[in-house]
Amino acid sequence: MDKKNDSRIELLQGTLDLMILRTLLFGPSHGHAIARHIRMASEDVLQVETGSLYPALHRLEARGWIEAEWRLSDMGKNAKFYRLTRTGRKRLAAAQSRWDELSAAITRVLRPA
Amino acid sequence: METLRRVMRWLDRGWNRKARESELDAELQFHLEEEATEREAAGLPPREARRAARLDLGNSALVKESTREAWGWAAIESWFQDLRYGMRTLAKNPAFALAAVASLALGIGANTAIYSVIDAVMLRTLPMKNPHELVGLQIKGKEHGTDFTNPLWEAIRDSGDAFAGAFAYGEERFDLSEGGESRFVHGLFVSGGYFDALGVPALRGRVLTSRDDRRGCGYAGPVAVISHDFWQSEFQGNPAAIGGTLRLDGRMFTIAGVTPPWMKGFDKDLPYDVAIPIGCEPLVHADSVLDQRSHWWLRIVGRLKPGAGLEETQDRMKAFAPEILRATVPTYWSAGARRGYLNYGIELSPAAAGFSDVGERYRTALFALMAIAGLVLLIACVNIANLLLSRAAARQREFSMRLALGASRWRLIRQLLIESLLLSGLGACGGFLAALWGGRLLVGLISRSPFTGDAVEIDLAPDLRLLGFTAVVTIVTALAFGLVPALRATRVGPNDALKEHGRGAVGGSRRFRLGSGLAAAQIAVSFVLLLAAGLFTGTLRNLLDADLGFRPGGLLRVTVDVQRAAREPAERVRAYREIIERLRQLPGVTSVSNSVLTPIGGQTWNEWIASDGYGASPRPDVLLFMNCVSSGYFRTLGTPFVAGRAFDDHDGAGAPLAMILNESAARQFFGSSNALGKTVRLGAAASGPRYQVIGVVKDTAYRRVDEKAPITGFVAMEQTTSPPSTLNYELRYATSSSAPTEAVRAAIAKVSAAISLEFRSFERQVDDSLEQQRLVAALSTLFGGLALLLSMVGLYGVTAYSVARRRGEIGLRMALGARAGAVAWLILRDAAWMLAAGTALGVLGALAAGKLLTSLLYGVEGSDPGRMVAVAGILAAATTLAAWLPARRAARLDPMKALREE
């Protein structure tokens, strides 16, 4: 195991969903790009496993929160692009505010002022 | 909407399975390439980059698998696999599948058919607005409590605001003809609030309102509303019919409107054709009943106020019931009878399902038939369970192997239950189709109301409830025959498959013991069903043979309505006399009479009377059932005299009033002393007319065949100055010829073309009144036979299995010198045990069931030992036959062959 892996954090399922939805807020994206965005945005702390990413994407698609479309990527290859739906946007807003509450609460517990 | 869209997406994914798979492959392939490109850009050589990308992806099969799970199809798919596997298993053994499905279709079909009738007449709610708010009113303490008088209805209507709306209706046949043979339609007298309270709008024109329901008709004159069906059949749906006229009992009515197709009326047995306001009743009846305080002909229904419960409304009703009763008491009744009237109460009961006379009369019979059909299905289930048990024994290796390969026991049980469900599902499909036909057949057997002679038309269109019922029966059935075999079959170890000749848990004697227990249970159930069939058949035979007190064969009844031909009482008397004289001259007619009522004709008439020296306690008066008959009535009907004489020329208009009593009345009033010459006072008042008893006749059936004749008095038609506008004529004709209907029609037309008439044979009348008993007897015999057949198939199966299992043992016995007879006895003995145990259980069951059936029996006892012995005899003979075949096979076994196989 290389060193990078030690700093990886196991993601809770709901958290991954939340981050995928958040990423798609910037516009349609394919699976690899989503994983890359999460990794870069978290400054290499969060590594999304392929084995969790694709089930999560397909689950969100099955729920109708995101929808998919095949089109050409920047590199000119055919890729499956995911896009937020209206329901997904609503869910994201709700999940985000819940997350904010939760993380603020946890912070208060762990670091009392 | 959202849910629907999700389901659609899910289904779509399911259908396009192949496309989805390759899409997933492409998606992951793209991911790999992107990853490789990225790593290459970071400085790795191309080959290294691709390897690293693959490593990063991990086990691609696993990724795909878990992604597929996100589609939500994995669970369903394994069910489909089981289903496909189940179908293959069944297809491998088509004889078994066919036998099982056929017997299930029969059992489920019979249950569904009977349930469809129960559903239609008792459970299905009316198609009106909020039917659960509708409540029916009944008089507590009175026979036929749902019938009210018009004064009672008017008092209830005007007594305040217990209901959001209330209405009354009475049924009546209206004659469309202008004379000659009547053409009847099913009519209703309705109160003004009828359509409004039911929430029925007009499809065309308008419905009736309280402004139409006035004495002598409302502002628009005599108006009628017709049903959609009648509009179609009579006017071919012509819009011009609205505003046109319709002849009802000779009076012209303006058609105000048509109701929507779903409106069939509040009664379920017969859809209504025409409705007219109660206020128009005097128009069609020469003697109006609107003010008669003891003419019970209206049914009252109320709609609860929004938010008001039944109890609450009941309490309000209770508060003003005494006042209503005081205001409407029949003043001409005796003091005792009036007291009884004032003690009546008014009760409410839910009426969301409407009213069905068939439902009321056939309630017990339908539930008994349902129970019988349920037991037949149970027997069929037991058979299939037995077959599944023996199949499970044969499939031991398969199960053991699958367990060894890692299947869980639950998975095996699920597999077996799916096979059972498949069987019962196929059976249910067949059964449901059979039930659609069977339900109609059942209603066809009920066919007509014995009282009006009208064919009943019950709407049996299958609804969701019926489908639900079939589904529940299917699942319960599958569990009933599938669960135990499935649990038993999977009680094997994974290593059993490896053992040669491993018999496992289901093989051997335990399975046989369970099987013979089930066979004994089948015999027990068959015993109960056969006994029930015997009791019902005996009941029907008793009723058919019952002494009616008259001879229905060769007797024709013609009901004559002279309303239009003769409106004045004196004219009627003349017309009636002329008819009887003309009929007497017809060739082949040996005797003619007329009467107000006919036996088992459906109508009753009774009077309070007081008689000489008779002191009935607690009341000095009694209710005497009445009829008014012409001279020659008893001769025509064939009713013998016990004492005295018939009405004759002595009993004319000026002569002292004469009365003939039936035996029961004479015995009750005068005991053993001679009734002749005694007087009977009619009516409650002391000044009521006094009649002298001139004769006593044998008891005759009055309302029903299966009812003891009530005390009855007959008065003379010749002494009546105002006969009713309809009268029955009875003609006895030579039995060698057919009923002289044409000649009668012609003879009556000569009196007046405006007289309408209706023919009915007495035999038919008696037959129709026994329809329920006939139905129950026929169906219980059919089901009893079916139960016997299925049980014997089951017993045969168990015995044959035991012979096959004991081949080795039998071979050995024979090799050691056992004779064929002894070997056969070995097998028969087991069957004899099953028979004995089954019969004993059956007797216990029959004793319990007999009590429940009492109300359906006539002249037979539920616990009749003679009948029980007969049924036991039938079962013993059938058991011997069923066990004999395998026993003979055992006796003819070649010992050498059997031993070699072992």
Side-chain angles (χ1 to χ4, degrees), chain A residues 8 30-32 35-36 39 49-51 53-55 57-59 61-65 70 73 75 77-80 82 87, chain B residues 2 5-6 9 13 20 22-24 26-28 30-39 56-58 63 66-67 70-71:
Chain A
R8 281 186 180 183
H30 54 75
H32 190 260
R36 194 175 49 210
R39 195 180 66 225
E49 299 277 354
T50 326
L53 174 68
Y54 284 96
L57 283 171
H58 284 238
R59 195 167 44 241
E61 192 192 351
R63 281 189 206 146
W65 296 4
W70 284 87
S73 73
M75 313 287 291
K77 282 190 214 151
N78 213 11
K80 194 177 178 191
Y82 293 93
T87 328
Chain B
E2 182 56 27
R5 232 177 295 146
R6 269 171 72 172
R9 267 200 301 272
R13 282 196 302 279
R20 294 280 306 184
S22 57
E23 207 183 286
L24 179 59
E27 192 177 9
L28 290 177
F30 174 78
H31 182 99
L32 267 178
E33 284 167 18
E34 280 291 287
E35 185 72 28
T37 318
E38 201 181 285
R39 299 204 176 217
D56 186 69
L57 183 70
V63 172
S66 45
T67 307
W71 299 350

Side-chain angles (χ1 to χ4, degrees), chain B residues 388-399 506:
Chain B
L388 285 178
L389 276 175
S390 26
R391 254 163 45 108
R395 288 169 72 179
Q396 285 286 282
R397 264 155 199 277
E398 176 199 332
F399 296 139
V506 251

Side-chain angles (χ1 to χ4, degrees), chain B residues 518-837:
Chain B
L518 290 176
Q522 284 183 317
I523 292 177
V525 175
S526 302
F527 183 92
V528 175
L529 293 185
L530 285 174
L531 186 70
L535 292 173
F536 290 137
T537 321
T539 295
L540 179 64
R541 202 171 33 238
N542 285 345
L543 289 172
L544 286 175
D545 293 349
D547 186 4
L548 300 171
F550 69 97
R551 287 181 287 123
L555 198 56
L556 178 70
R557 162 187 155 183
V558 49
T559 307
V560 167
D561 184 347
V562 298
Q563 204 165 163
R564 272 160 271 162
R567 289 194 72 80
E568 295 306 313
E571 282 179 273
R572 282 189 217 157
V573 171
R574 252 198 321 278
Y576 286 144
R577 195 156 298 162
E578 197 183 335
I579 293 173
I580 213 164
E581 271 154 21
R582 284 188 185 274
L583 293 182
R584 275 191 181 131
Q585 286 158 20
L586 293 181
V589 173
T590 53
S591 177
V592 181
S593 64
N594 62 24
S595 62
V596 171
L597 303 179
T598 57
I600 324 169
Q603 286 164 311
T604 59
W605 161 26
N606 42 42
E607 298 275 359
W608 298 103
I609 63 115
S611 60
D612 269 357
Y614 172 62
S617 59
R619 299 211 298 249
D621 45 58
V622 281
L623 208 53
L624 184 67
F625 283 79
M626 300 293 300
N627 196 357
C628 178
V629 304
S630 73
S631 62
Y633 173 81
F634 296 105
R635 187 175 64 240
T636 311
L637 262 74
T639 304
F641 271 80
V642 176
R645 62 174 179 85
F647 295 127
D648 56 26
D649 299 341
H650 299 96
D651 311 305
L657 294 174
M659 182 182 275
I660 293 173
L661 294 177
N662 71 352
E663 259 184 302
S664 296
R667 199 178 313 120
Q668 179 170 335
F669 297 160
F670 309 109
S672 50
S673 69
N674 191 356
L676 299 181
K678 299 273 179 24
T679 51
V680 172
R681 195 192 71 217
L682 211 60
S687 59
R690 288 163 183 282
Y691 288 81
Q692 189 174 40
V693 178
I694 60 159
V696 177
V697 288
K698 254 190 87 169
D699 283 356
T700 51
Y702 193 89
R703 276 182 301 199
R704 298 208 309 257
V705 179
D706 59 350
E707 180 186 70
K708 190 184 171 306
I711 55 169
T712 316
F714 300 87
V715 294
M717 187 69 75
E718 285 80 359
Q719 296 185 324
T720 313
T721 46
S722 61
S725 58
T726 31
L727 215 57
N728 295 294
Y729 282 82
E730 300 86 16
L731 289 92
R732 182 160 295 284
Y733 54 92
T735 36
S736 52
S737 58
S738 59
T741 45
E742 278 316 311
V744 170
R745 205 192 312 270
I748 294 177
K750 265 184 220 154
V751 178
S752 164
I755 296 175
S756 48
L757 44 139
E758 185 197 5
F759 291 99
R760 224 170 150 201
S761 91
F762 272 85
E763 261 172 331
R764 185 62 193 264
Q765 199 159 311
V766 172
D767 268 10
D768 285 353
S769 78
L770 293 178
E771 226 140 36
Q772 169 172 330
Q773 286 82 2
R774 206 182 301 272
L775 177 80
V776 172
L779 288 187
S780 65
T781 307
L782 178 73
F783 288 146
L786 209 59
L788 183 67
L789 182 72
L790 287 173
S791 306
M792 291 311 123
V793 169
L795 189 93
Y796 169 81
V798 171
T799 316
Y801 176 81
S802 134
V803 170
R805 192 178 56 84
R806 293 167 74 178
R807 277 172 76 87
E809 177 203 335
I810 294 169
L812 195 61
R813 280 172 186 264
M814 291 180 98
L816 292 177
R819 283 169 197 280
V823 168
W825 173 240
L826 196 67
I827 300 302
L828 286 175
R829 199 179 52 192
D830 286 337
W833 273 115
M834 289 181 235
L835 176 69

